[in-house]
Amino acid sequence: MSLSIPLRQKLSAGEQAAGAWLTLPSTAIAGAIARTHNVSWVLIDAEHGLINDTHLYDLANTIAANGASPIIRVPSEETWLIKESLDSGAHGLMVPMANSAEIVRGIVRATKYPPIGIRGFGPMFTSATGALGGGYALAANSELVISVQIEHPQAVAEIDEICQEGIDVVFIGPFDLALSMGVQFGSEEHETAIAKILATAKKHGKIAAIFCLNGEQAARRFAQGFQMVSVTTDIDTITTAFTHELSMAIGKTTDAAKGYNL
């Protein structure tokens, strides 16, 4: 039995996968984003957003019902966080600060059922994937989309080894990467590290992905060779659009307050 994973289908076809970042625990916003044409995945941010485990099931099902893949970003690589997120019906998982190959091996074990991993059996609420119970478990190991975030110089140094583990996506967190490297965002050193991660992922047949804040950044990253790109966040879209309209209304330039601004 196959699961219904739009993001997996898009990536397997070699197509570009544009996505969005959900930080607010709103099914209305999640559904509106997910049913937007050409959006294949929506990241449910349980690390930095206002989302917690009580929101995961409803958000995952809303996104899936509107035609996109819900991908949950957990706060850390702890096994229980991974288990409850996948059991809520996520089409995939994103784990932040995957700073070494050893950490990534642990993530793979936590996301896979035996004999590959140690994930416990309990798919009672995975209907967002199109399957429950044994049918879900038979397909989950190979069809769920498992992403790890590369955000630290140690991960860059070990990227070749990381890409040989059983993950699907190498996802660059460019802001944390710049901070942890101690360099300016967008500097030559920063872009060199990003290019190294991209090239290594492609060499090993992994999906290269990256976080962006706007369409201009996203278009540049797609052109660079990234296959999976987050275009913007819900909160940035709201504040940017509102300040634009406000500026027109009052005849004065108004700047949007942004959380991602280095």
Side-chain angles (χ1 to χ4, degrees):
M1 179 178 186
S2 294
L3 304 182
S4 178
I5 311 288
L7 177 58
R8 169 70 69 183
Q9 296 163 5
K10 179 82 73 171
L11 296 176
S12 296
E15 299 176 12
Q16 293 178 341
W21 215 262
L22 186 74
T23 66
L24 300 170
S26 167
T27 53
I29 293 175
I33 293 171
R35 62 177 169 266
T36 302
H37 189 58
N38 289 323
V39 171
S40 56
W41 59 281
V42 178
L43 190 286
I44 301 170
D45 192 355
E47 183 193 15
H48 291 307
L50 300 180
I51 295 165
N52 61 47
D53 55 356
T54 66
H55 305 123
L56 300 181
Y57 176 79
D58 288 339
L59 290 173
N61 276 272
T62 297
I63 292 165
N66 282 281
S69 282
I71 307 297
I72 295 176
R73 177 162 75 164
V74 293
S76 73
E77 77 273 11
E78 292 183 48
T79 301
W80 72 272
L81 291 170
I82 290 173
K83 180 164 49 180
E84 73 169 6
S85 296
L86 292 178
D87 284 350
S88 71
H91 289 190
L93 207 69
M94 184 179 294
V95 183
M97 296 294 177
N99 294 342
S100 69
E102 181 180 2
I103 290 174
V104 173
R105 280 192 288 273
I107 291 168
V108 172
R109 293 183 70 237
T111 57
K112 305 294 185 182
Y113 287 118
I116 299 172
I118 59 170
R119 182 183 173 189
F121 182 81
M124 297 171 286
F125 302 104
T126 56
S127 56
T129 67
L132 297 168
Y136 167 87
L138 287 172
N141 279 2
S142 60
E143 295 192 33
L144 297 180
V145 181
I146 307 304
S147 310
V148 296
Q149 285 197 269
I150 306 302
E151 308 177 277
H152 193 274
Q154 183 179 350
V156 179
E158 297 188 32
I159 190 62
D160 194 76
E161 190 176 356
I162 287 171
C163 286
Q164 295 179 61
E165 301 297 334
I167 55 171
D168 300 294
V169 178
V170 175
F171 198 107
I172 299 172
F175 287 91
D176 273 308
L177 182 61
L179 285 172
S180 63
M181 289 177 66
V183 301
Q184 182 69 35
F185 183 91
S187 66
E188 183 178 351
E189 299 96 326
H190 188 228
E191 290 297 328
T192 296
I194 288 173
K196 176 182 178 180
I197 298 164
L198 171 63
T200 306
K202 287 180 171 292
K203 182 179 75 171
H204 289 285
K206 304 299 183 183
I207 301 299
I210 194 167
F211 175 88
C212 293
L213 283 179
N214 56 52
E216 182 181 356
Q217 290 179 9
R220 182 165 65 88
R221 294 306 186 185
F222 274 134
Q224 188 178 359
F226 286 92
Q227 190 179 348
M228 180 178 170
V229 175
S230 174
V231 176
T232 190
T233 72
D234 51 359
I235 188 64
D236 282 309
T237 299
I238 292 169
T239 56
T240 299
F242 178 71
T243 52
H244 173 72
E245 299 302 328
L246 178 61
S247 296
M248 292 185 65
I250 65 176
K252 298 178 182 178
T253 300
T254 303
D255 293 327
K258 292 184 177 291
Y260 281 97
N261 185 19
L262 288 179

